[in-house]
Amino acid sequence: FDQTPLISTFHSLGLYIARLEHVDLGLKKYFSILDEKDSNSLIKEAIKDNDLDPKQFEPNRIKYIINKERNNFSDISDLEEKATTLIEQSIVKVWKQYEKKKQEMHACDFDDLLLKPVKLLTNNKEIRKKYQESWSHIHVDEYQDTNDVQYRFIKLLMNENNNICVVGDGDQTIYSWRGANVKNILNFENDYENAEVVILEQNYRSTKNILRAANE
């Protein structure tokens, strides 16, 4: 591994690991990445393949439900087990077809870029140790906007030294609508023993009028 610092988003870090570990993930090294439009098109095809009405089973809504399940670390079998209604059973069928289509295309969607590396690091001790030994220190910006998958990703990359620094403000979380969990930053001191909190109270960007209005 290169010893220079690696700076990336969570998704590009996931892609980086997925490319290197593509064999263990059952992927081609140069698999394609689906954007939101591509994913929606595949979901729509999966709905039609199951002879379902796209007006009744709205693709964006179905995709949202599938993504929510996946980001809660549920897989198809989990949803299938608890599916009791016709709609839930239909979603299971669409999800299965969606995964099949991605596999045939040798493609991953954005969620896969986080979920696949997280599952690999969880289940493969040898690979997990390799990455823990590769990066001695981890720094995360805007920690209040991390979601549960990203939180687990970080924990899996941590080595026994717990050399982690995060920056964030629980009062500034803005992405709860897409899964951000403010508890990640609020519980940081509980997660990491001997954590030191440095409060940044000096504002260098805003005038006094803006600060006064914000504080009120």
Side-chain angles (χ1 to χ4, degrees):
F1 281 91
D2 190 349
Q3 293 301 304
T4 55
L6 175 67
I7 302 173
S8 73
T9 64
F10 279 102
H11 284 87
S12 59
L13 177 60
L15 175 60
Y16 174 80
I17 293 175
R19 295 279 194 220
L20 291 175
E21 312 300 337
H22 65 97
V23 174
D24 286 276
L25 288 172
L27 296 168
K28 285 189 172 182
K29 185 172 184 178
Y30 297 105
F31 58 86
S32 57
I33 301 169
L34 304 175
D35 60 20
E36 287 297 311
K37 185 178 178 181
D38 296 328
S39 295
N40 287 335
S41 295
L42 278 193
I43 291 286
K44 193 177 292 185
E45 288 178 20
I47 291 170
K48 290 180 179 178
D49 289 346
N50 282 283
D51 296 321
L52 299 171
D53 183 0
K55 293 181 180 178
Q56 182 181 1
F57 296 90
E58 204 276 317
N60 286 337
R61 177 63 180 163
I62 300 300
K63 185 171 182 293
Y64 172 80
I65 294 170
I66 292 173
N67 288 348
K68 187 176 180 181
E69 290 291 328
R70 294 172 72 199
N71 284 299
N72 286 331
F73 298 100
S74 296
D75 57 27
I76 298 174
S77 60
D78 295 322
L79 183 59
E80 192 169 24
E81 195 173 299
K82 65 183 181 182
T84 55
T85 66
L86 178 61
I87 291 178
E88 290 171 335
Q89 291 165 355
S90 298
I91 291 172
V92 169
K93 292 178 182 178
V94 171
W95 189 356
K96 284 182 178 180
Q97 187 70 0
Y98 176 59
E99 294 297 332
K100 182 182 176 183
K101 286 179 175 293
K102 284 193 298 177
Q103 194 171 16
E104 290 171 349
M105 295 172 62
H106 301 288
C108 290
D109 60 24
F110 286 149
D111 283 341
D112 287 324
L113 297 181
L114 296 182
L115 290 167
K116 286 184 179 294
V118 166
K119 288 180 179 177
L120 179 65
L121 293 172
T122 300
N123 298 324
N124 192 313
K125 185 178 180 180
E126 187 178 325
I127 292 177
R128 182 170 70 247
K129 184 179 179 183
K130 178 175 72 174
Y131 288 99
Q132 288 176 343
E133 292 176 348
S134 299
W135 298 306
S136 60
H137 295 72
I138 294 177
H139 174 266
V140 186
D141 196 15
E142 303 292 2
Y143 193 67
Q144 78 278 354
D145 289 326
T146 55
N147 61 28
D148 292 340
V149 178
Q150 293 163 342
Y151 170 84
R152 190 175 295 196
F153 202 175
I154 295 164
K155 295 284 282 186
L156 288 164
L157 292 173
M158 289 299 306
N159 58 37
E160 59 187 12
N161 295 321
N162 278 348
N163 289 328
I164 181 170
C165 173
V166 305
V167 178
D169 180 355
D171 290 332
Q172 293 190 34
T173 182
I174 59 173
Y175 290 116
S176 58
W177 57 274
R178 70 179 190 192
N181 189 347
V182 72
K183 289 182 180 179
N184 293 348
I185 192 168
L186 299 180
N187 293 335
F188 184 81
E189 292 171 86
N190 295 326
D191 285 340
Y192 298 97
E193 190 177 350
N194 301 320
E196 180 182 356
V197 177
V198 179
I199 300 174
L200 306 178
E201 296 182 303
Q202 182 68 47
N203 188 312
Y204 294 95
R205 294 188 294 181
S206 300
T207 64
K208 288 183 179 180
N209 285 342
I210 293 172
L211 288 174
R212 192 178 301 115
N215 288 330
E216 288 178 358

